[in-house]
Amino acid sequence: MGESRMTKSGSAPLQHIPVMLEEAVEGLAVKAGGRYLDGTFGRGGHARAVLSRLGHDGRLLLMDRDPQAIAAARAAFADDPRVAIRHDNFSALADWDETAAGLDGVLLDLGVSSPQLDEAARGLSFMADAPLDMRMDPTRGESAAEFLARADEREIADVLWQFGEERQARRIARAIVADREASPFTRTGQLAALIERIVGRREPGKHPATRSFQALRIHVNGELESLQRGLEAALERLNVGGRLSIISFHSLEDRAVKLFIRDHSGRVQGSRRGPPVAATPARLAAVGKAQFPSDVEQAANPRSRSAVLRVAEKLA
């Protein structure tokens, strides 16, 4: 949900700017009377752009797992008869009766939003000392502190490597387990300091805890599992000719989206070392190539630098 970025510690957060706004909404090919779902409302930048293209008979469905995002959605759109709002993970979009009539487009702006980063109490950033929570929906699930308190060394290391590609995953996990009995990890600053002690300042301009914090956030929120379920649900609910428009912010997300589109494209799969796998009927087709933010957008909003947009259309 990349709506801007947080500035360095001590300075004010930047304005919440929707990433690749025009490109993502253009990808939906919005029809005035169509039905669209924004599964990651955030603070509504993309949703407002979609709504501006809808006529009186159009319908916009808004979802977010973050209670604060849903409160913002209700404050902005509760009086618009074209809009329906649901507090839930977009992975459960097929469980919402509003989607049963079919959708003409689904927009997902993945990852963590700037409002979530800017609120230190959420524990998503190492830029300010705060409770080590990291949940996008603080009313559900296990916090990062609870995970680090009960997981064994191998499980912690696996999470840091799988979701953060942290080369020092084993050393960090070993240090967490060694230190937690005397001093449980409950604060972001405490964890960031341990990681900095283990890893050191190896990458100029990048805090040594960056990869580990990303990994823990992805794990705590089940982000990749949610993405896979959400993609499957969206494909089932899309009408023929409906569009997926998905913005990713790291390679794990983008690879999942790319492979999902490929695997439903009807192309013969397989490798040069083995027999080809029989093609399944084509259900999706990529619309153009992956898109990236312009140089102008990246200069205005550095948070957008890692964004990748992929668009696909349902064939059958």
Side-chain angles (χ1 to χ4, degrees), residues 295-312:
D295 292 342
V296 172
E297 178 171 4
Q298 291 185 49
N301 180 16
R303 160 106 171 112
S304 71
R305 288 174 181 165
S306 60
V308 182
L309 170 67
R310 294 187 187 271
V311 178

Side-chain angles (χ1 to χ4, degrees), residues 19-316:
V19 171
M20 301 188 74
L21 174 63
E22 292 299 325
E23 298 93 332
V25 175
E26 286 297 323
L28 292 175
V30 176
K31 299 179 291 187
R35 294 174 62 87
Y36 298 88
L37 182 141
D38 181 345
T40 50
F41 176 80
R43 289 302 180 268
H46 295 100
R48 288 181 177 85
V50 173
L51 195 60
S52 72
R53 290 162 169 78
L54 293 180
H56 293 299
D57 297 328
R59 189 74 165 155
L60 178 60
L61 311 181
L62 304 177
M63 299 183 76
D64 205 296
R65 67 196 303 184
D66 184 344
Q68 293 185 16
I70 291 300
R74 289 176 176 148
F77 299 115
D79 295 332
D80 193 321
R82 299 172 296 171
V83 176
I85 302 168
R86 182 180 177 93
H87 175 213
D88 210 340
N89 191 321
F90 66 77
S91 64
L93 69 89
D95 298 333
W96 190 6
D97 291 343
E98 282 276 1
T99 68
L103 299 168
D104 296 302
V106 173
L107 187 149
L108 301 176
D109 181 13
L110 303 173
V112 62
S113 71
S114 291
Q116 291 168 331
L117 284 172
D118 291 343
E119 186 183 352
R122 304 294 286 272
L124 285 160
S125 173
F126 41 76
M127 300 299 288
D129 186 44
L132 187 59
D133 193 310
M134 295 195 180
R135 291 172 294 175
M136 293 181 186
D137 182 353
T139 69
R140 305 176 187 178
E142 181 180 57
S143 70
E146 290 167 338
F147 169 70
L148 293 179
R150 61 97 182 148
D152 61 25
E153 179 181 322
R154 180 174 179 177
E155 187 176 1
I156 296 170
D158 286 348
V159 164
L160 299 183
W161 171 249
Q162 182 179 357
F163 299 138
E165 298 179 322
E166 172 51 67
R167 295 191 295 273
Q168 300 295 327
R170 291 187 182 279
R171 291 183 62 207
I172 294 170
R174 190 177 306 122
I176 289 171
V177 171
D179 289 4
R180 69 186 179 189
E181 286 191 18
S183 182
F185 287 86
T186 61
R187 308 286 299 181
T188 57
Q190 178 189 7
L191 179 61
L194 176 139
I195 295 170
E196 185 170 8
R197 171 166 58 85
I198 298 296
V199 175
R201 291 276 179 174
R202 66 184 181 208
E203 298 179 66
K206 191 172 187 178
H207 193 285
T210 299
R211 295 178 186 275
S212 294
F213 269 61
Q214 172 187 294
L216 288 169
R217 189 204 82 217
I218 290 172
H219 172 72
V220 164
N221 292 289
E223 292 179 34
L224 296 181
E225 296 92 333
S226 292
L227 176 57
Q228 194 62 42
R229 293 197 305 271
L231 290 171
E232 295 285 356
L235 180 58
E236 293 308 314
R237 285 298 195 237
L238 278 175
N239 298 321
V240 172
R243 296 282 188 91
L244 283 174
S245 185
I246 305 176
I247 304 170
S248 304
F249 285 87
H250 59 72
S251 59
L252 296 174
E253 291 173 340
D254 182 54
R255 184 172 186 272
V257 174
K258 179 181 178 180
L259 292 179
F260 183 82
I261 295 170
R262 186 203 71 180
D263 291 348
H264 290 86
S265 68
R267 289 186 291 171
V268 174
Q269 307 296 336
S271 67
R272 283 179 270 177
R273 298 182 180 180
V277 178
T280 57
R283 303 189 69 196
L284 275 178
V287 176
K289 297 182 179 180
Q291 299 179 60
F292 305 91
S294 68
D295 292 342
V296 172
E297 178 171 4
Q298 291 185 49
N301 180 16
R303 160 106 171 112
S304 71
R305 288 174 181 165
S306 60
V308 182
L309 170 67
R310 294 187 187 271
V311 178
E313 182 172 309
K314 184 171 179 178
L315 302 176

